Amino acid sequence: MTTPPHPKLFIPGPVEVSPETMEAFSRPMVGHRSKDFQALYASVQPKLQAVFHTTQPCYVSTSSAWGMMEGAVRNLVGKKVLNCMSGAFSDKWFDVSKKNGKPALDYREEWGQPIRPEKIDAHLATGEFDAVTVIHNETSTGTMNPLEEIAAVVAKYPDVTLIVDCVSSFTVVPIKPQELGIDLLLAGTQKALALPAGGCVFTVSERAFEKAATLEGRGYYFDLLEFRKNGEKNMTPTTPSISHFYALDYQLGQMLAEGLDNRYARHRATNQMVRDWARERGFELFPVAGYESRSLTCVRNNLGVDVAALQKRLREEHQIVLDGGYGKIKGETFRVSNMGDETEASIGHLLSCLDQCLPAVAAA
């Protein structure tokens, strides 16, 4: 398949999708209640379980990750939810909880600071909560939260459900939900999976299903029990994006052929290249030291470069799209993604292009 020329994406999502994956995405339609689709679903399931490091059932939702983030709140919050917030995306989860009529508390850290397990412990010790939401990798700030330590704290409270967004860390670092006691783990397709936007993959614990069965107001589209009932027949509750299943089946096969450990190592190496480049040029990293993301680098603009001009030059001169910072730190930072199919060669090319553009946009 020949892909027409286009600016290459090094933004935190959607990321670049390979021609081969797009070819899989464009395969002919089949009936979503046909044996052909059931065979496709059955092919995807064990591959998803492998990359999720779980024997629990895994599912695909035709929605952005936000659909299942909302669904998780509707299915798994009965008493009150603790929304852990440290950036633009985790901040929104609190808004989702409130708009779904769920009692919620916003535990906040400054952008660039990690979620502190001891603070979660203090909140849960009150007995007020039956659910916690955490974003593992806060894309807006390039901060990776200490998931293992957080999970260990939540595990002290058997009646508390742990809901985790790993949208931009899934397949970048190993995450093992059964070992950690994560009840619902979800990821979007458009980030580290390097698939077209518009899909969400997730896995659910048995105790989460049991809890959902006791709660009313789950809705239908994101009802976990509907996903399980249909999944047992290799089907989805509603008409899915069949194209996403095709592309996911192909991409998961590529990941398993590469080897998950090799994939993690590749992300670690390409991420380190960007960090080293930034520091060698005199930039600082935005997150507090020790909590930097492995899927993208959020660079603090301490040198005062014209970030908008840098973006413009990269696009016009090198056909590269870079992110200029998100939300309240737009312009104060810029973000460089290394997630998905990027290699040391492709990241090396990006960094070379950055070096060519930087002198023209440096502060006077």
Side-chain angles (χ1 to χ4, degrees), residues 128-205:
E128 295 178 31
F129 304 94
D130 70 337
V132 175
T133 68
V134 176
I135 288 185
H136 180 211
N137 193 69
E138 178 54 70
T139 320
S140 64
T141 65
T143 305
M144 186 168 280
N145 287 308
L147 185 56
E148 291 187 9
E149 292 88 340
I150 290 169
V153 164
V154 177
K156 293 167 54 180
Y157 303 90
D159 296 330
V160 177
T161 303
L162 179 58
I163 305 165
V164 177
D165 163 336
C166 65
V167 168
S168 58
S169 58
F170 183 53
T171 76
V172 173
V173 295
I175 305 170
K176 300 180 179 180
Q178 282 178 292
E179 288 186 16
L180 296 177
I182 298 171
D183 293 291
L184 194 151
L185 182 67
L186 64 95
T189 55
Q190 79 280 11
K191 299 210 176 191
L193 281 173
L195 295 168
C200 173
V201 296
F202 63 102
T203 185
V204 185
S205 72

Side-chain angles (χ1 to χ4, degrees), residues 80 88 180 187 207 269 285:
K80 190 174 183 180
L180 296 177
R207 77 169 195 155
L285 303 187

